[in-house]
Amino acid sequence: MDMGLHHKSALVTGSTKGIGRAIAIELAREGANVLVNGRDREEVERTVIELKSMFPSTDPVAAAADLADREQREALFARHPHVDMLVNNMGIYEMLSYEDTNDEQWETYFRTNVLAANAMCRVYLPNMLERDFGRILFIASEEAMMPSGQMPAYAMTKSMLLSLSKSLSKLTRGSEVTVNTILPGPTLTENVREIIDSLYPGEALTFEDKEKRFMAANLTQSELQRFIAPAEIGRLAAFLCSPCASAFKGSPIRMDGGMIPTIF
């Protein structure tokens, strides 16, 4: 289906790898001109070239910047003051116990995962409201609703994004601007694939066999019993960014593979 995104501009933060890259690809597939963001300028440029090659009718743009850094954010805003769609995907995570997390690490998680995303919204939301069209999409995690206890700083920041999304959505009342959040479950990003591949050395197993073994041993609560493909999240994101999804307002949309065991 045509999602009506041709020639619209989309800034996807952290879009050179993983979920962000998949979202950039799916938006470009729908005809959007994607602003590719990442900290590594070479990776950003490479991703722009790949998008242009895959979707030659679109005009992807390099938007390299460390968005956790205020000066770099402001430089990006000066270059790109208006976008039709903002996907706040950038974030950091690692397995880090509560006892091992110091004050500086808490502050880094808050600054990177929350304050940077909020700064993006403060710049782009007013213009969307003025033009009466826009999409803001946060990428959270099932950890936002069901903290595992293995990464409390990460879980805290993702929960905060749910609250921020709902608060900002209240400002869009009566407009064609929407603010929503996707909550992915365990996703097969490049890093996850490398980790799974490394867990069973010396065993003649296909990746699918390794994945099944890992899920059965470590993620029994998953009803999907496989990792979610980034492209699956990318397609959902493209739909939520489209005019087709105008009735989604301040919604947490779960694509968690059944990880969250409750109905709410």
Side-chain angles (χ1 to χ4, degrees):
M1 64 181 288
D2 183 352
M3 293 187 187
L5 296 178
H6 290 275
H7 308 302
K8 293 193 179 298
S9 58
L11 172 54
V12 183
T13 69
S15 46
T16 61
K17 295 179 181 178
I19 292 173
R21 174 184 166 83
I23 293 172
I25 289 172
E26 297 304 327
L27 287 171
R29 191 188 306 279
E30 293 298 324
N33 298 322
V34 179
L35 281 70
V36 177
N37 167 256
R39 290 177 296 182
D40 188 313
R41 190 171 298 275
E42 289 185 2
E43 286 187 352
V44 168
E45 295 285 358
R46 186 162 52 247
T47 304
V48 167
I49 292 169
E50 291 170 352
L51 285 179
K52 186 64 177 178
S53 174
M54 288 187 283
F55 311 106
S57 66
T58 69
D59 293 310
V61 176
D66 179 356
L67 299 177
D69 181 281
R70 178 181 294 181
E71 289 186 2
Q72 293 191 45
R73 276 200 310 267
E74 291 179 352
L76 183 143
F77 297 151
R79 295 193 305 271
H80 308 287
H82 311 296
V83 296
D84 296 306
M85 297 165 275
L86 168 64
V87 181
N88 278 311
N89 165 76
M90 181 194 75
I92 56 173
Y93 71 94
E94 63 183 314
M95 300 296 244
L96 197 61
S97 71
Y98 184 75
E99 295 82 2
D100 293 333
T101 311
N102 60 38
D103 289 347
E104 289 73 22
Q105 289 168 313
W106 281 97
E107 290 171 2
T108 297
Y109 269 88
F110 182 54
R111 183 173 63 252
T112 305
N113 292 2
V114 180
L115 292 184
N118 181 60
M120 307 297 287
C121 296
R122 289 174 61 193
V123 168
Y124 293 117
L125 178 58
N127 187 257
M128 292 178 181
L129 291 171
E130 183 178 332
R131 291 181 291 116
D132 197 30
F133 179 81
R135 298 288 184 263
I136 293 178
L137 189 60
F138 293 93
I139 306 302
S141 165
E142 90 278 358
E143 285 274 337
M145 294 182 67
M146 189 187 69
S148 64
Q150 296 176 321
M151 47 179 85
Y154 174 77
M156 176 203 71
T157 59
K158 293 303 181 178
S159 296
M160 294 177 79
L161 292 182
L162 289 179
S163 178
L164 179 59
S165 174
K166 190 64 176 178
S167 293
L168 296 182
S169 183
K170 298 290 186 181
L171 304 180
T172 72
R173 181 174 179 175
S175 77
E176 290 300 316
V177 179
T178 67
V179 184
N180 294 293
T181 306
I182 295 176
L183 287 78
T187 304
L188 192 59
T189 61
E190 296 89 341
N191 288 342
V192 170
R193 178 177 284 274
E194 290 176 5
I195 291 169
I196 300 303
D197 263 333
S198 69
L199 290 178
Y200 307 99
E203 298 188 54
L205 298 171
T206 66
F207 180 81
E208 288 72 22
D209 290 335
K210 296 176 183 178
E211 180 181 36
K212 288 178 182 177
R213 182 181 293 187
F214 179 86
M215 296 296 290
N218 299 281
L219 294 171
T220 56
Q221 65 270 46
S222 167
E223 296 171 21
L224 191 60
Q225 280 300 290
R226 65 167 174 80
F227 287 97
I228 300 164
E232 294 177 286
I233 301 168
R235 292 304 289 168
L236 174 60
F239 168 73
L240 291 170
C241 284
S242 77
C244 306
S246 59
F248 286 83
K249 289 273 196 176
S251 300
I253 297 114
R254 288 159 46 172
M255 191 181 237
D256 64 342
M259 287 285 292
I260 300 172
T262 59
I263 60 175
F264 298 114

